């Protein structure tokens, strides 16, 4: 089969099962866009390349399949950078395709030339500059394999224009040879036995579940393990859908804005079982006082995560699903009545609460009402800041891959385009972006995307008129010097209407539920601008570098 | 403590950059780096001399290196019985008065004079780091104009020696 590079690219994508590309055209990718046009390959035109990469990310996180984005050389490629870093931090499989100047023009500061493989080296799992069309099928095969296996991550392929237009005799390789890349899936049996023995003697075991559970699809095994051995479970921001939010063994999120019960449990437990989590500083607070009484078992597919931030007693390298299944098969049923009693007391003494207000809508109430109206079934995307933390605290997730948020990088402007990708990948589901008034403006141009494809994404803005999370830090730690955080916002409803999107503003607490219902029931895209209390804070809170059992906003009991 | 790491890597463009960049962005230092082909045409060998404060730091560096798709194998040769070599070229001021003395020093170190001009010679020396340091120290007083060193390469001795 004789194909041009552009045709070979699309054919290879089809063989990898890719159904959609999120992208934005430009000079060096016109040949690829020509092939897309002629072959009718499904493509979503975002209004900014950052939108395209975040959409590919949201697609990947919500479906578990790799997301694909495409941008032109130079500025198109550099516009992908934030999105690649976001995906890299949260281990999301993306294959990013960029145009490049022809190979003969490389290194001459040609028009729209940028060294994108150099730029993205530290924020991709791997990247390629294709020098000859004959290598293209192999490189695509490797890229998908690397992006989706082991600890997943973004892979970038830079495609000079001459590669796209040259002809090749096409054949897609069946096998690949990557002598330096051999992810390990099965856990070491000796280590698994050691973990079982530790569990059998533990009096106060605790599971700390991270995003790795979701990536590995180990939710079922985790649930069975927790129930069989009666182990309470706390989760990271990335792991919130790893365990049913409504389950009696679930303590909620841990860390800086975690639930009191979760943080107390970490401090008291005698065995901490970390599953696909990486002891991030937002989780551990001061490392020296983190889980001070516990032996630590750490399950992770990435050997470099073991012992990186905390000392680990029993490391097990491999895939969470495999290892948890092995643990389950060796473990007998356990009871931890006393421990559960203790944990449940913390839970009932320190529930997540907020003070309702007669004049203001409370942002937490918005999330609670969304939960009520969607029955915990929606795909919730968030921006970054207070909106993100309230969504994490007050929504109860019951379905896997239903919480899409930028954890590691904390990228404002992520949630909305990610929601676009999630909606494209899950046309039947309700997809909601819980947004901040600051963050939504970082990719607000994507309103045009949901309008033109009539993607029924719902945007709910928790509009506090501030870069709220920064304002909160200034209130707590900088004596209320509110430096550059007040936003003079446009009328978001009018902005959305200008794009042809149904939109409302709500101000009165008593109207919140009715307006949310109207927006969620609207068959197409819709936006609700919720004017919420301007100075509400996210509590409880562990001050930066504090110990996680010493939280601000926790009443004495 | 200094460690000598021998990395086998897939012979791809950019692999040196990936290794070096990983070091700098994780805040580690490389003393020297040397790269060359091996008996396998698809595999190159990078010899790194690195500073690690403790075992944990070395382990973390090694694991991060393994995450690079093109890194096949890493051996820490520090504790092994390994042959270590480095090559240095030194350009030294040498008038007729001190030339004989220089030749004598070169001879002791089994170094070679590889270029001679009116007022300078180039000396080539191969050996362990200590040996190279020693000859440099002796030659310095003569007027060392320029020096270039390859960085260390190393190879583990065979278990059974004849
Ligand atoms: C791209 C980017 N720039 C800056 C920040 C720092 N930052 C973190 S939260 C925040 C405020 C977000 O404001 P808003 O979207 O209104 O959310 P709120 O906290 O008010 O809910 C800022 C500026 C960031 N996370 N991302
Ligand atoms: Mg705000």
């Amino acid at each position: 089969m004789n194909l041009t590079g552009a045709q070979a690219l699309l054919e290879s994508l089809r063989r990898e099962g890719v159904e959609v590309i999120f992208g934005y055209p430009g000079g060096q990718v016109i040949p690829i866009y020509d092939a897309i046009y002629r072959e009718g390959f499904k493509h979503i035109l975002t209004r900014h390349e950052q939108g395209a990469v975040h959409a590919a990310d949201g697609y990947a996180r919500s479906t578990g399949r790799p997301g694909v984005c495409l941008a032109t050389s130079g500025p198109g490629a550099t516009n992908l950078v934030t999105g690649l870093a976001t995906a890299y931090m949260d281990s999301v499989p993306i294959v990013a395709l960029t145009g490049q100047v022809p190979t003969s023009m490389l290194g001459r500061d040609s028009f729209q030339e940028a060294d994108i493989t150099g730029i993205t080296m530290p924020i991709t799992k791997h990247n390629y500059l294709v020098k000859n069309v004959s290598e293209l099928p192999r490189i695509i095969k490797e890229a998908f394999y690397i992006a989706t296996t082991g600890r997943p991550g973004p892979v970038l392929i830079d495609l000079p224009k001459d590669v796209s237009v040259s002809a090749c005799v096409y054949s897609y390789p069946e096998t690949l040879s990557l002598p330096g890349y051999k992810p390990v899936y099965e856990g070491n049996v000796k280590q698994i036995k050691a973990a079982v023995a530790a569990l059998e003697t533990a009096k106060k075991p605790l599971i700390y579940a991270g995003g790795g559970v979701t990536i590995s699809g180990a939710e079922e095994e985790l649930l069975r393990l927790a129930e069989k051995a009666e182990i309470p479970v706390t989760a990271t921001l990335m792991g919130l859908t790893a365990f049913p939010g409504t389950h009696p063994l679930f303590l909620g999120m841990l860390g800086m804005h975690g639930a009191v019960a979760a943080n107390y449990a970490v401090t008291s437990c005698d065995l901490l079982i970390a599953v696909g989590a990486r002891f991030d500083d937002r989780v551990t607070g001061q490392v020296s006082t983190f889980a001070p009484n516990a032996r630590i078992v750490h399950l992770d597919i990435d050997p470099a995560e073991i012992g990186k931030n905390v000392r680990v007693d029993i490391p097990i390298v491999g895939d969470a699903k495999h290892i948890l299944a092995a643990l389950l098969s060796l473990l007998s049923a356990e009871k931890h009545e006393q421990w559960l009693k203790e944990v449940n007391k913390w839970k009932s003494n320190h529930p997540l609460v907020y003070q309702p207000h007669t004049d203001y809508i409370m942002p937490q109430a918005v999330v609670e009402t969304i939960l009520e109206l969607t029955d915990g079934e929606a795909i919730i995307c968030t921006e970054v800041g207070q909106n993100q933390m309230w969504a994490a605290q007050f929504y109860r997730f019951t379905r896997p891959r239903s919480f899409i948020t930028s954890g590691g990088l904390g990228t404002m402007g992520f949630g909305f385009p990610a929601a676009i990708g999630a909606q494209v990948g899950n046309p039947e589901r309700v997809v909601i972006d819980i947004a901040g008034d600051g963050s939504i403006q970082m990719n607000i141009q994507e309103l045009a995307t949901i309008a033109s494809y009539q993607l029924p994404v719902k945007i709910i803005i928790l509009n506090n008129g501030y870069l709220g999370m920064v304002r909160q830090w200034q209130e707590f730690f900088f004596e209320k010097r509110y430096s550059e955080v007040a936003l003079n916002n446009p009328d978001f409803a009018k902005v959305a209407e200008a794009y042809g999107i149904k939109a409302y503003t709500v101000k009165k607490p008593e109207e919140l539920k009715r307006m949310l219902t109207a927006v969620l029931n609207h068959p197409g895209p819709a936006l609700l601008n919720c004017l919420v209390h301007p100075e509400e804070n996210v509590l409880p809170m562990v001050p930066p570098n504090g110990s996680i059992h010493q939280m601000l906003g926790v009443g004495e009991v | 403590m200094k460690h000598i790491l021998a990395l086998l890597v897939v012979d791809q463009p950019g692999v040196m950059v990936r290794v070096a960049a990983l070091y700098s962005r994780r805040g580690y230092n490389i003393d020297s780096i040397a790269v060359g082909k091996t008996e396998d045409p698809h595999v190159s060998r990078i010899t790194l001399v690195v500073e690690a404060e403790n075992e944990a730091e070395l382990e973390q560096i090694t694991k991060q290196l393994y995450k690079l798709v093109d890194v096949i194998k890493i051996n820490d040769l520090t504790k092994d019985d390994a042959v270590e070599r480095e090559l240095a070229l030194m350009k030294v001021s040498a008038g007729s008065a001190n030339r004989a003395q220089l030749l004598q020093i070169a001879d002791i170190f089994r170094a070679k004079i590889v270029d001679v001009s009116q007022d300078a010679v180039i000396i080539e020396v191969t050996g362990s780091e200590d040996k190279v340091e020693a000859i440099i120290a002796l030659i310095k007083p003569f007027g060392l104009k320029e020096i270039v060193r390859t960085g260390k390469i190393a190879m583990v001795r065979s278990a059974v020696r004849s």
Side-chain angles (χ1 to χ4, degrees):
Chain A
M1 193 167 34
N2 269 312
L3 297 180
T4 65
Q7 292 167 331
L9 170 68
L10 295 188
E11 178 57 24
S12 305
L13 293 184
R14 272 191 290 269
R15 297 203 186 191
E16 292 294 335
V18 174
E19 52 168 18
V20 59
I21 300 172
F22 301 91
Y24 204 94
Q28 305 299 355
V29 287
I30 292 178
I32 298 174
Y33 273 88
D34 192 50
I36 287 173
Y37 180 89
R38 294 211 279 190
E39 298 178 24
F41 202 103
K42 186 171 176 188
H43 178 275
I44 301 284
L45 175 70
T46 54
R47 270 29 175 202
H48 189 302
E49 290 87 355
Q50 189 185 356
V53 60
H54 289 327
D57 183 319
Y59 176 92
R61 292 190 204 222
S62 61
T63 63
R65 299 192 297 272
V68 176
C69 61
L70 170 59
T72 192
S73 67
T78 56
N79 273 346
L80 297 180
V81 167
T82 301
L84 292 170
T86 304
Y88 186 65
M89 281 292 243
D90 290 343
S91 310
V92 181
I94 287 179
V95 174
L97 308 162
T98 48
Q100 182 55 281
V101 301
T103 45
S104 59
M105 305 284 282
L106 277 169
R108 296 163 184 254
D109 303 319
S110 309
F111 178 63
Q112 295 194 329
E113 178 182 359
D115 173 15
I116 198 64
T117 47
I119 291 168
T120 59
M121 202 175 275
I123 52 166
T124 51
K125 188 169 171 187
H126 197 54
N127 62 22
Y128 295 91
L129 169 62
V130 186
K131 288 275 186 60
N132 191 301
V133 68
S134 64
E135 323 172 295
L136 184 59
R138 170 186 62 82
I139 286 176
I140 296 170
K141 174 127 188 148
E142 288 181 8
F144 276 90
Y145 180 70
I146 292 168
T148 55
T149 52
R151 178 178 184 171
V155 176
L156 179 136
I157 306 174
D158 202 18
L159 292 155
K161 188 173 190 175
D162 53 322
V163 170
S164 297
V165 297
S166 326
C168 66
V169 182
Y170 182 80
S171 80
Y172 202 58
E174 305 253 299
T175 56
L176 36 70
S177 153
L178 289 166
Y181 181 72
K182 302 255 183 300
V184 172
Y185 287 84
E186 300 301 334
N188 178 299
V189 178
K190 217 176 88 207
Q191 296 294 90
I192 290 171
K193 283 186 177 153
V196 170
L199 253 171
E200 279 166 354
T201 54
K203 298 218 160 43
K204 300 174 166 193
L206 177 70
I207 291 171
Y208 148 43
V213 176
T214 304
I215 294 169
S216 127
E219 293 90 353
E220 180 67 34
E221 287 77 7
L222 186 72
L223 178 63
R224 280 170 46 210
L225 176 71
E227 288 183 340
K228 187 172 183 182
E230 238 181 41
I231 314 172
V233 177
T234 178
T236 66
L237 184 71
M238 303 310 299
L240 275 182
T241 63
F243 199 77
T246 47
H247 197 285
L249 285 171
F250 191 58
L251 306 182
M253 185 168 74
L254 79 166
M256 182 173 275
H257 291 297
V260 175
N263 285 1
Y264 283 9
V266 171
T267 305
S268 299
C269 70
D270 63 1
L271 182 70
L272 186 70
I273 306 156
V275 188
R278 59 185 177 83
F279 299 86
D280 180 79
D281 53 274
R282 284 290 185 270
V283 161
T284 60
Q286 177 144 66
V287 179
S288 57
T289 55
F290 182 76
N293 307 310
R295 299 184 71 200
I296 296 180
V297 179
H298 189 184
L299 282 58
D300 207 292
I301 199 156
D302 180 356
E305 286 303 340
I306 308 269
K308 187 180 78 177
N309 294 342
V310 301
R311 43 135 202 109
V312 171
D313 300 283
I314 307 174
I316 313 178
V317 173
D319 180 72
K321 195 178 177 76
H322 289 80
I323 299 171
L324 289 176
L327 279 175
L328 267 169
S329 69
L330 295 175
L331 192 74
S332 45
E334 304 272 339
K335 289 265 168 257
H336 299 107
E337 213 177 316
Q338 203 48 44
W339 172 229
L340 287 188
K341 224 187 228 166
E342 200 176 343
V343 166
N344 283 328
K345 207 172 93 198
W346 292 324
K347 244 170 109 172
S348 54
N349 283 347
H350 304 283
L352 282 168
V353 284
Y354 62 93
Q355 282 291 314
H357 199 287
T358 44
D359 301 330
Y360 285 117
I361 294 175
M362 297 309 287
Q364 300 94 329
V366 180
V367 179
E368 278 183 340
T369 314
I370 295 172
L371 170 65
E372 183 193 329
L373 295 174
T374 57
D375 214 12
E377 292 278 308
I379 296 180
I380 301 291
C381 306
T382 78
E383 301 297 338
V384 168
Q386 295 182 314
N387 58 86
Q388 177 183 37
M389 290 301 118
W390 285 319
Q393 290 180 329
F394 287 89
Y395 204 83
R396 291 277 161 277
F397 297 93
T398 49
R399 294 180 64 172
R401 296 190 176 276
S402 296
F403 187 48
I404 314 290
T405 194
S406 168
L409 201 68
T411 307
M412 289 171 69
F414 167 79
F416 178 29
I420 292 175
Q423 189 74 79
V424 169
N426 302 268
E428 304 307 322
R429 290 189 64 186
V430 178
V431 178
I432 300 172
D433 178 34
I434 295 182
D437 47 324
S439 302
I440 193 66
Q441 296 185 72
M442 286 209 175
N443 273 311
I444 201 158
Q445 75 288 343
E446 300 307 329
L447 286 170
T449 309
I450 57 171
S452 61
Y453 293 95
Q454 278 301 300
L455 292 166
V457 170
K458 308 294 187 276
I459 303 162
I460 314 293
I461 304 178
L462 307 183
N463 185 348
N464 50 15
Y466 279 115
L467 299 173
M469 187 57 95
V470 179
R471 187 206 57 73
Q472 176 172 339
W473 281 53
Q474 291 172 340
E475 178 183 334
F476 287 4
F477 312 117
F478 294 86
E479 298 167 321
K480 286 203 177 188
R481 287 186 297 277
Y482 291 169
S483 176
E484 305 297 322
V485 288
L487 300 173
N488 275 317
N489 286 318
D491 181 334
F492 289 111
K494 274 195 186 151
V495 171
E497 277 163 8
Y499 281 96
I501 291 165
K502 193 94 193 152
Y504 306 96
T505 297
V506 59
K507 199 175 171 184
K508 295 194 179 126
E510 61 274 18
E511 285 180 0
L512 174 65
K513 190 164 175 184
R514 187 172 60 82
M515 301 303 286
L516 264 177
T517 308
V519 163
L520 293 179
N521 285 344
H522 182 72
L527 177 147
L528 183 62
N529 178 26
C530 304
L531 303 179
V532 299
H533 193 300
E535 297 196 42
E536 178 61 351
N537 292 317
V538 180
L539 292 171
M541 177 175 192
V542 179
N545 288 319
S547 303
I548 64 166
H549 60 282
Q550 288 165 344
M551 306 185 78
L552 304 177
V554 178
E556 292 302 313
V557 176
Chain B
M1 180 189 163
K2 277 202 200 325
H3 289 263
I4 305 171
L5 302 182
L7 279 66
L8 293 180
V9 299
V10 180
D11 186 25
Q12 292 279 354
V15 59
M16 266 269 277
V17 180
R18 284 179 203 275
V19 169
L22 179 83
Y23 262 84
S24 65
R25 79 170 169 271
R26 297 244 166 213
Y28 304 129
N29 283 325
I30 303 181
D31 276 15
S32 78
I33 182 164
V35 63
K37 295 199 180 303
T38 65
E39 67 285 359
D40 180 338
H42 304 292
V43 175
S44 299
R45 179 157 165 155
I46 299 177
T47 309
L48 292 175
V49 179
V50 299
E51 190 69 49
E53 272 178 22
N54 48 44
E55 279 303 309
E57 185 177 309
L58 185 73
E59 186 183 323
Q60 182 59 212
I61 304 175
T62 309
K63 284 170 165 178
Q64 292 294 345
L65 284 171
Y66 265 121
K67 283 178 74 167
L68 297 175
V69 167
D70 290 330
V71 171
I72 304 168
K73 184 93 190 99
I74 304 168
N75 283 313
D76 183 353
L77 305 184
T78 319
K79 291 192 190 115
D80 288 332
D81 183 14
V83 181
E84 294 168 28
R85 289 292 179 270
E86 185 178 354
L87 184 144
L89 295 174
M90 293 161 283
K91 189 180 284 171
V92 193
S93 310
S96 48
N98 54 16
R99 203 162 274 190
Q101 235 178 322
L102 267 176
L103 285 177
Q104 216 174 6
I105 293 171
D107 207 37
I108 295 167
F109 282 88
R110 281 196 263 164
K112 282 188 262 178
I113 308 291
V114 290
D115 186 68
V116 182
S117 67
Q118 201 81 84
D119 56 349
V121 295
I122 296 179
I123 303 176
E124 174 197 312
V125 66
T126 315
S128 67
E129 192 180 349
D130 289 348
K131 176 176 165 188
V132 174
E133 295 288 349
I135 188 170
I136 291 170
L138 285 176
I139 277 175
K140 243 188 194 147
F142 291 86
L144 190 54
K145 295 176 145 188
E146 197 182 341
I147 182 162
V148 51
R149 296 168 71 165
T150 55
K152 204 174 275 183
I153 58 170
M155 188 177 273
V156 178
R157 295 179 202 273
S158 305
V160 183
R161 313 248 300 273
S162 49

